[in-house]
Amino acid sequence: MLLLEKTEFPREKVCGDGLTPRAVRQLVRMGVDTSEKAGWLHNKGLRVIGGGVRLELDWPDLASFPNYGLVRTRLDFDDMLARRAVEAGALLRTGVNVTGPVLDDEGRAIGVSAKVGPGKEPVEYRAPLVVAADGVSGKIPLAMGLAKRDDRPIGVAVRRYYNSPVRADDDYLESWLELRSAVSGDLLPGYGWIFGLGDGRVNVGLGILNSSDAFGKTNYRSLLTDWLAGTPEEWGMRGEENADGPILGAALPMGFNRVPHYTRGMMLVGDSGGMVNPMNGEGIAYAMESGELAAEVAVQALARPAGADRERALRAYPTELSLRFGGYYRLGGVFVKLIGNPQIMRLATKHGMPHPTLMRFVLKLLANLTDPRGGDAMDRIINGLTKVAPAV
């Protein structure tokens, strides 16, 4: 397997750096040491602040997922994953800017074209199967005619690092629900976060969904600094003095907003296929899950001769993705539309937050953490909803 990376490792990437138990499970499946000795900061759950209530919700105890989350910067995280791939036999090439697919006479992807090195020398790489993991830009699928769907949710997130020893070591991921439009004062569909990194710094950011009228009209960087201006002074997040780097932003492609996930010799994984969870903005877990599934399908398909038999095996990939996440993402689309209404957002925050049992249900739903078999009543309700919801 040939792994092509545009930049050099380690490299920065815009992210909240917080991992739910769903992402932790994928790391464990990969054989990654997630102990604190290995540089991970563990957390017990999610602290939610809103409606005048501060609530700490532990991650659920489930057979299918670990009961802890993690924090680690993408600077280290992506580098670690790349090294794991090399250990597993992948050939890593960095400084390779993939520019598009190489197509045969029938329009099937048989490799990629790229520019390499300081001189940007043109190169072609040929392969029996192309896996597009090129993120929200989707350069390869776009060249294959796969545009983003406008009927699926999308979000925008901005984040910044701050030196804040007071908040750097935290047993919980922290989520603030009351973000308000600077224009109307209405609650916005999204949340702010403060994730301690355990090294004297915090990752602070916010994410907003496109179901609000304020989407695209809001200066998200100003919204972030305005929100932080209201935090306690001792946290050190009110100005530039303790900032560690600029405010950076990125789009969050959600709910399978680019399909099909396999076509003409090309598979889409992660953000390239719009796999961010509409409920909570989490993308890492679904990128790793789709990558694992793509690898399993590819191994089986490439063991067959090229032609109809191999294509039949490759088509199992989008089918399985739809079975796993299609109904859940459909629910996510409904959720996004509901909280886009400021009145519903206000009522949900005011009346939901004071009820811990309800909020534990909401945590399971939003983080997609249930046992598929033998779970409790909450699990059965959530699993039932995802089964009856039509797949996206």
Side-chain angles (χ1 to χ4, degrees):
M1 183 181 79
L2 181 62
L3 176 60
L4 303 177
E5 164 64 29
K6 181 179 179 179
T7 57
E8 304 287 339
F9 288 112
R11 54 112 168 98
E12 189 174 35
K13 187 175 178 67
V14 178
C15 184
D17 298 336
L19 304 176
T20 70
R22 191 168 194 104
V24 177
R25 181 182 68 167
Q26 291 306 116
L27 292 173
V28 172
R29 289 171 67 90
M30 292 171 62
V32 173
D33 180 1
T34 61
S35 69
E36 292 181 334
K37 290 182 179 179
W40 299 90
L41 183 65
H42 285 220
N43 56 71
K44 299 177 182 177
L46 181 67
R47 181 185 303 114
V48 186
I49 298 171
V53 177
R54 173 189 171 100
L55 191 62
E56 291 185 345
L57 302 166
D58 287 353
W59 298 120
D61 284 315
L62 299 168
S64 304
F65 299 93
N67 65 350
Y68 64 94
L70 298 169
V71 177
R72 190 167 187 139
T73 70
R74 293 293 292 272
L75 185 73
D76 291 340
F77 183 83
D78 288 4
D79 188 25
M80 176 199 65
L81 291 187
R83 285 187 276 110
R84 291 292 297 177
V86 171
E87 291 169 8
L91 184 62
L92 173 64
R93 290 285 181 266
T94 57
V96 179
N97 183 9
V98 174
T99 55
V102 175
L103 306 178
D104 65 12
D105 293 339
E106 298 178 350
R108 180 184 178 84
I110 55 173
V112 295
S113 58
K115 294 181 179 179
V116 179
K120 298 183 179 181
E121 298 296 329
V123 178
E124 285 190 358
Y125 299 94
R126 299 297 179 99
L129 183 64
V130 174
V131 178
D134 49 351
V136 65
S137 67
K139 190 180 297 183
I140 298 176
L142 276 174
M144 295 279 287
L146 302 184
K148 291 182 291 185
R149 293 186 55 156
D150 294 332
D151 61 340
R152 304 291 162 83
I154 192 165
V156 170
V158 293
R159 71 101 171 100
R160 193 178 206 180
Y161 294 115
Y162 284 87
N163 294 302
S164 179
V166 176
R167 295 302 316 271
D169 295 289
D170 198 340
D171 288 337
Y172 289 85
L173 301 177
E174 187 166 287
S175 176
W176 294 54
L177 300 185
E178 293 182 303
L179 298 176
R180 294 187 178 274
S181 167
V183 178
S184 65
D186 287 333
L187 284 175
L188 297 173
Y191 65 91
W193 69 78
I194 300 175
F195 297 164
L197 298 175
D199 61 359
R201 298 181 301 156
V202 291
N203 181 316
V204 181
L206 56 86
I208 302 294
L209 295 161
N210 68 338
S211 54
S212 166
D213 290 338
F215 188 82
K217 305 173 186 176
T218 301
N219 185 322
Y220 302 106
R221 288 168 172 79
S222 295
L223 183 63
L224 177 63
T225 55
D226 289 347
W227 166 50
L228 294 177
T231 59
E233 187 174 357
E234 61 268 23
W235 292 3
M237 304 177 198
R238 289 188 175 184
E240 298 294 313
E241 182 179 353
N242 297 312
D244 183 13
I247 299 175
L248 298 177
L252 303 174
M254 299 174 167
F256 289 163
N257 79 336
R258 185 179 280 119
V259 290
H261 292 118
Y262 170 74
T263 183
R264 294 175 288 141
M266 179 191 65
M267 305 170 92
L268 307 184
V269 302
D271 287 8
S272 183
M275 298 184 196
V276 174
N277 182 348
M279 302 274 201
N280 67 356
E282 180 181 22
I284 294 176
Y286 301 92
M288 290 192 290
E289 285 189 57
S290 60
E292 180 186 33
L293 177 61
E296 292 173 353
V297 170
V299 166
Q300 293 299 322
L302 295 177
R304 304 181 181 192
D309 200 24
R310 180 180 292 180
E311 286 298 300
R312 190 177 304 113
L314 288 168
R315 285 195 294 271
Y317 176 63
T319 300
E320 179 60 26
L321 278 177
S322 182
L323 287 172
R324 288 191 191 186
F325 304 127
Y328 179 79
Y329 283 172
R330 175 68 73 181
L331 287 180
V334 174
F335 170 80
V336 167
K337 290 179 181 177
L338 286 174
I339 67 171
N341 184 319
Q343 292 181 332
I344 293 177
M345 185 69 176
R346 190 181 304 112
L347 288 171
T349 303
K350 180 180 178 180
H351 297 289
M353 284 291 294
H355 300 283
T357 300
L358 174 61
M359 292 304 294
R360 283 193 290 272
F361 174 84
V362 171
L363 177 66
K364 280 192 167 189
L365 174 64
L366 267 58
N368 199 8
L369 295 173
T370 62
D371 277 327
R373 289 174 292 277
D376 61 15
M378 293 182 184
D379 293 0
R380 292 193 290 274
I381 292 171
I382 294 170
N383 294 340
L385 288 172
T386 60
K387 286 178 181 177
V388 300
V392 294

